[in-house]
Amino acid sequence: MTAKENPSAEMAGGAKKKDDEQPVPLKNTTVRANCQVHSWTIPEEIRNLPHWLLWKSGPKSNGKTTKVPYSITGGEARTNDPATWASFEDVLNRYKAGSYSGVGFVFSQEDPFCGIDLDHCRTPETGEIEPWAWGIIKNFNSYTEVSPSGSGVHIICKGRLPEGGRKKGNVEIYDKGRYFTVSGNRLDETPQDIRPAQEAINELLASRFKKETPPQATRPCSLPGPSLDDSELIQKAIESQNGHKFDLLYQGRWQEVGCYPSQSEADQGFCDLLAFWTGRDAARIDSIFRQSGLMRPKWDEKHYGDGRTYGQVTIEKAISNCQETYSGKPPDDDYQFDGCSDTDESVEGNTETGSGLSDNGKQQHKKVTIEDVVLPIGAFYQLDVSERQEFLFPWLKEDSINLVSGWRGCGKTWLALGILDAVTRGASFGPWECKKPVPCLFVDGEMTVTDDHERIKSLRLNSGRESPFYFYSDAYANQLGLPRAHIANESWRTKIKSILLSRHIKLWVLDNLASLASGLDENKKRDWDPINQWLLELRFAGISTIMLHHTSKEGQQRGTSAREDNLDTSIMLKAPYDYTPEDGARFVVHFSKARVQTSRLNLLSDTEFKLTLDEAGNHTWTYSNVKRETRSEVLRLLDEGMTQTDIKNTLGIHKGTVSKIRTRAIKDGLLTPKNKLTQAGIMAVNG
């Protein structure tokens, strides 16, 4: 007797098939081409929920075709993010427009549905179903359809599971956090509606998913890491056989590694590497990860019901995955783990049921190609990106390249030291507010050690601050026998980049290009290109650069204009109209290029800075808005009887500017038509 004639002979337990039992032939013997969606047979209960997404066929993994989920905007869909789901109608219309393989339904905590996937139980050519699977189908007695491959079936019922899903052999069961492909290719012998089946769920769990007591002490414990400080350990890892991969992950450039479909997998891969290098030291893994370019707010978010954070769970998995640790041998002789093994469970990247897991429960990674990064603009806009930090609002930002140009002796070095002082203290500088203190480095390529000491003392830079302030003196390095710093030297660029990364420096200053790029033909774009590409590398690694440079006789930055092609900000230091060499560090900051929001451009008006010396020998910055100062000076000179032409020549401004200031002042009651200041005007000028 076949299982179809006696369904009770094969129930949820799926007893081993006897020799005289034959597969059960059912209708729907073929699977429609391209997994055509028959919307009219899909139960209305799930069609009415906005739990739908699209999918495309991916590469096979363990003989099973992967199903990559997409939202209707073309971006990645996630089973834990309702924002990437949509209504059935919208998903169906997008599917009909072409380019997608089918549609899928996401099971969540908020709906009453449960899905059972029976794999490798059906012969696509004949429609015959294995007796073990037929017993489960009959026991659930709910809506059942053929899977897209034709070799399995999906059952959708109502009911709840204990925490988590279940997968064992050819049977999977989930009620949240996964999606099923849905075609409407219903088995004719099964109900058209979705029915309650809690009893069948309990029987299936009891028969196929019996809990086994795990052996004791199978999880490796956290061991003390090697006796190296973080910077030494990071450098050791970078110099190892798989150092390039470690370096890219440390910089946050996980896409370039080529084996991670999302940053979550990259986070796990990097922690797996850190578990090896730190000797499974959980605290140290956390510390180094927080200093890396992968760090994001998600790390500290509580993603689990027991209160654990995403970071804690990732580290725990890494320690559990770690079989060997760094022993202190030379890097190429020690165990090398590449951080790309299939060790982390994730809902990102999916098989037929959307689990993203192979039969052994491990994530199937898909190598990233250029095809994966050419995205529709809507999908690109939905990418999970962290907000770009602002060191000095609104112009000095994270991941930026900046140039400050000025005449010799105007105070460029003083300005740069003042900026880094403010950023490491978390204090404002001039009109610009420090939004986030970060570690900084100043590289001096021209001054003597004595000069450096004097400036540090007069600016009081050697006192406490919120973030580290590092200083590199080329003169001091040369005294110790090191070669001169040179940004055109690839070896020097590599070494300084390693230091920037290991010290977690986010902002640094090169003072100046004439000293640190000597011998370079500054007028040739070709000579500058390697340096420019290196600066872009630093930007992508989350490091911002400020370069100090000299201006030409014409008052422009000296050399090839290609130097400005990739700049976020270009600042020109201009001499005030009444400047004399005795004024020392006194200049007008003029933004000739700034990548800021249009609404913020008014915050970048010309500002005059002056470094003043107090009785104690300490230097202090003062600043003023040039536009307001110019107005006050024009009104004062008009009141003294000077003609508009003379004022134009004296202040070095356009005659039209003088006229506009005069007209506006008369209208505002600050100046009489005979060019005499009113009482209100006197107060405005004297400020």
Side-chain angles (χ1 to χ4, degrees):
M1 181 179 293
T2 66
K4 183 178 180 182
E5 293 169 336
N6 183 15
S8 62
E10 193 69 49
M11 298 302 288
K16 187 176 180 180
K17 182 175 63 175
K18 298 179 181 179
D19 293 339
D20 61 346
E21 290 182 326
Q22 300 298 318
V24 180
L26 295 179
K27 296 181 181 179
N28 302 71
T29 58
T30 60
V31 179
R32 281 77 168 179
N34 298 323
C35 188
Q36 182 179 351
V37 177
H38 301 272
S39 59
W40 59 91
T41 60
I42 298 174
E44 186 177 4
E45 282 187 274
I46 57 175
R47 278 192 284 127
N48 289 338
L49 291 176
H51 287 199
W52 294 86
L53 46 75
L54 297 144
W55 61 268
K56 287 183 181 180
S57 296
K60 284 195 173 184
S61 175
N62 291 340
K64 192 171 184 178
T65 301
T66 57
K67 301 290 188 290
V68 184
Y70 292 90
S71 69
I72 59 174
T73 62
E76 176 192 3
R78 295 177 293 275
T79 56
N80 60 351
D81 184 1
T84 63
W85 313 341
S87 68
F88 178 75
E89 182 179 3
D90 288 343
V91 167
L92 185 65
N93 289 337
R94 187 70 181 85
Y95 162 74
K96 290 178 179 178
S99 76
Y100 292 97
S101 303
V103 304
F105 177 81
V106 182
F107 296 96
S108 79
Q109 184 70 43
E110 287 68 39
D111 66 62
F113 304 113
C114 179
I116 300 89
D117 176 28
L118 307 180
D119 203 14
H120 301 302
C121 67
R122 182 179 184 274
T123 304
E125 293 76 19
T126 64
E128 294 180 333
I129 293 181
E130 295 290 327
W132 67 266
W134 176 242
I136 295 175
I137 294 169
K138 292 298 291 182
N139 197 42
F140 273 85
N141 192 32
S142 188
Y143 174 83
T144 305
E145 66 174 37
V146 180
S147 66
S149 66
S151 63
V153 297
H154 294 161
I155 304 170
I156 301 179
C157 64
K158 294 178 181 177
R160 277 290 170 219
L161 300 176
E163 187 62 29
R166 300 288 185 275
K167 175 177 174 63
K168 188 172 184 180
N170 293 337
V171 179
E172 295 181 65
I173 179 169
Y174 301 105
D175 65 353
K176 60 180 176 293
R178 295 294 188 271
Y179 82 91
F180 271 11
T181 58
V182 179
S183 66
N185 190 18
R186 182 180 64 85
L187 288 178
D188 292 342
E189 287 78 2
T190 63
Q192 299 179 13
D193 59 336
I194 299 174
R195 300 182 178 182
Q198 189 63 52
E199 185 176 345
I201 291 173
N202 296 341
E203 288 182 15
L204 184 63
L205 294 177
S207 61
R208 279 194 173 258
F209 301 98
K210 293 179 180 178
K211 290 187 176 181
E212 299 178 1
T213 304
Q216 296 298 314
T218 57
R219 179 172 176 165
C221 61
S222 179
L223 300 175
S227 57
L228 299 172
D229 63 30
D230 284 356
S231 61
E232 291 173 324
L233 190 65
I234 291 167
Q235 187 61 33
K236 187 75 70 175
I238 291 174
E239 293 172 353
S240 71
Q241 183 177 344
N242 294 310
H244 179 65
K245 185 173 296 180
F246 186 98
D247 191 18
L248 289 174
L249 290 172
Y250 185 76
Q251 295 178 48
R253 296 160 60 185
W254 60 268
Q255 300 95 331
E256 299 176 39
V257 178
C259 66
Y260 301 114
S262 75
Q263 185 175 338
S264 295
E265 281 86 355
D267 293 345
Q268 187 65 63
F270 187 51
C271 285
D272 288 347
L273 287 169
L274 290 175
F276 165 73
W277 285 103
T278 63
R280 306 189 194 102
D281 186 332
R284 200 167 184 191
I285 294 172
D286 180 69
S287 173
I288 295 177
F289 188 94
R290 290 178 181 279
Q291 300 160 10
S292 76
L294 292 174
M295 182 60 190
R296 50 181 171 158
K298 181 179 178 180
W299 186 253
D300 293 316
E301 292 176 1
K302 293 183 178 180
H303 281 228
Y304 302 86
D306 58 5
R308 291 180 299 167
T309 65
Y310 167 78
Q312 288 173 325
V313 171
T314 303
I315 292 173
E316 288 172 6
K317 286 182 181 179
I319 292 175
S320 179
N321 294 336
C322 184
Q323 301 302 313
E324 298 184 52
T325 60
Y326 174 56
S327 65
K329 297 178 182 178
D332 291 338
D333 296 334
D334 214 328
Y335 168 77
Q336 294 297 306
F337 173 61
D338 67 3
C340 276
S341 64
D342 299 335
T343 54
D344 55 310
E345 297 185 5
S346 171
V347 298
E348 299 171 347
N350 293 273
T351 60
E352 197 164 276
T353 62
S355 69
L357 305 177
S358 65
D359 286 344
N360 61 9
K362 294 180 179 180
Q363 178 67 35
Q364 301 302 306
H365 291 304
K366 174 181 177 291
K367 185 175 182 179
V368 178
T369 68
I370 193 171
E371 292 288 338
D372 299 304
V373 296
V374 179
L375 303 174
I377 193 167
F380 181 80
Y381 184 70
Q382 285 191 337
L383 291 178
D384 181 17
V385 296
S386 57
E387 186 177 353
R388 197 176 179 190
Q389 297 173 350
E390 293 174 316
F391 304 145
L392 284 180
F393 178 82
W395 67 274
L396 185 53
K397 301 179 181 180
E398 181 183 29
D399 312 334
S400 64
I401 305 174
N402 311 275
L403 180 69
V404 177
S405 304
W407 73 97
R408 290 184 181 86
C410 70
K412 296 185 293 295
T413 300
W414 291 103
L415 174 67
L417 288 170
I419 288 173
L420 296 195
D421 180 44
V423 171
T424 52
R425 290 183 190 277
S428 297
F429 184 74
W432 312 311
E433 178 186 359
C434 178
K435 292 291 187 178
K436 180 178 178 61
V438 294
C440 295
L441 167 67
F442 187 93
V443 175
D444 170 40
E446 66 172 349
M447 293 190 296
T448 66
V449 175
T450 301
D451 288 337
D452 289 331
H453 275 208
E454 289 178 352
R455 297 197 181 198
I456 290 171
K457 178 182 178 181
S458 65
L459 287 173
R460 302 179 297 284
L461 301 181
N462 55 337
S463 57
R465 56 193 68 248
E466 292 191 33
S467 289
F469 187 163
Y470 296 101
F471 196 93
Y472 176 92
S473 164
D474 201 31
Y476 175 64
N478 201 239
Q479 289 176 12
L480 298 179
L482 294 176
R484 292 288 308 280
H486 205 295
I487 60 175
N489 183 300
E490 184 176 1
S491 176
W492 190 86
R493 293 200 302 262
T494 301
K495 290 176 181 177
I496 198 68
K497 178 182 176 182
S498 175
I499 292 173
L500 291 171
L501 292 172
S502 64
R503 303 285 182 96
H504 322 302
I505 293 164
K506 294 297 184 181
L507 173 65
W508 73 313
V509 167
L510 289 168
D511 183 18
N512 57 60
L513 294 185
S515 301
L516 297 171
S518 59
L520 205 67
D521 190 336
E522 61 183 20
N523 294 307
K524 289 185 178 179
K525 176 181 181 297
R526 181 178 60 187
D527 285 10
W528 180 254
D529 276 344
I531 300 173
N532 186 50
Q533 294 305 312
W534 174 64
L535 292 172
L536 289 173
E537 278 185 33
L538 295 180
R539 171 194 277 174
F540 296 152
I543 299 169
S544 297
T545 303
I546 298 177
M547 298 174 285
L548 304 188
H549 191 34
H550 295 313
T551 53
S552 64
K553 294 179 180 179
E554 293 75 27
Q556 302 299 316
Q557 71 98 1
R558 206 170 64 189
T560 175
S561 59
R563 189 176 287 114
E564 293 193 335
D565 290 348
N566 295 108
L567 294 179
D568 291 88
T569 306
S570 182
I571 292 176
M572 299 297 300
L573 303 186
K574 298 183 175 182
Y577 77 93
D578 57 348
Y579 176 82
T580 63
E582 290 76 21
D583 290 339
R586 180 184 171 216
F587 44 76
V588 173
V589 172
H590 171 74
F591 289 86
S592 58
K593 178 182 180 180
R595 288 177 178 165
V596 299
Q597 297 176 16
T598 304
S599 60
R600 296 178 177 179
L601 288 175
N602 65 311
L603 302 175
L604 297 179
S605 58
D606 288 2
T607 302
E608 181 178 324
F609 282 83
K610 183 177 182 180
L611 196 61
T612 60
L613 188 65
D614 63 21
E615 295 180 355
N618 297 320
H619 284 92
T620 304
W621 286 103
T622 61
Y623 69 97
S624 60
N625 184 285
V626 171
K627 188 174 182 179
R628 287 195 294 268
E629 289 298 312
T630 300
R631 186 193 70 162
S632 297
E633 195 64 11
V634 167
L635 294 181
R636 184 182 65 79
L637 294 176
L638 285 171
D639 183 66
E640 292 178 359
M642 189 176 287
T643 66
Q644 292 187 39
T645 300
D646 289 341
I647 294 174
K648 161 194 171 272
N649 295 332
T650 300
L651 300 182
I653 59 179
H654 293 291
K655 186 175 180 180
T657 301
V658 178
S659 179
K660 287 180 181 179
I661 292 174
R662 176 181 180 274
T663 301
R664 182 72 187 187
I666 292 174
K667 182 179 179 180
D668 292 343
L670 305 179
L671 193 71
T672 69
K674 293 185 178 181
N675 294 341
K676 300 305 292 182
L677 288 170
T678 64
Q679 189 61 37
I682 293 172
M683 294 178 63
V685 168
N686 294 332

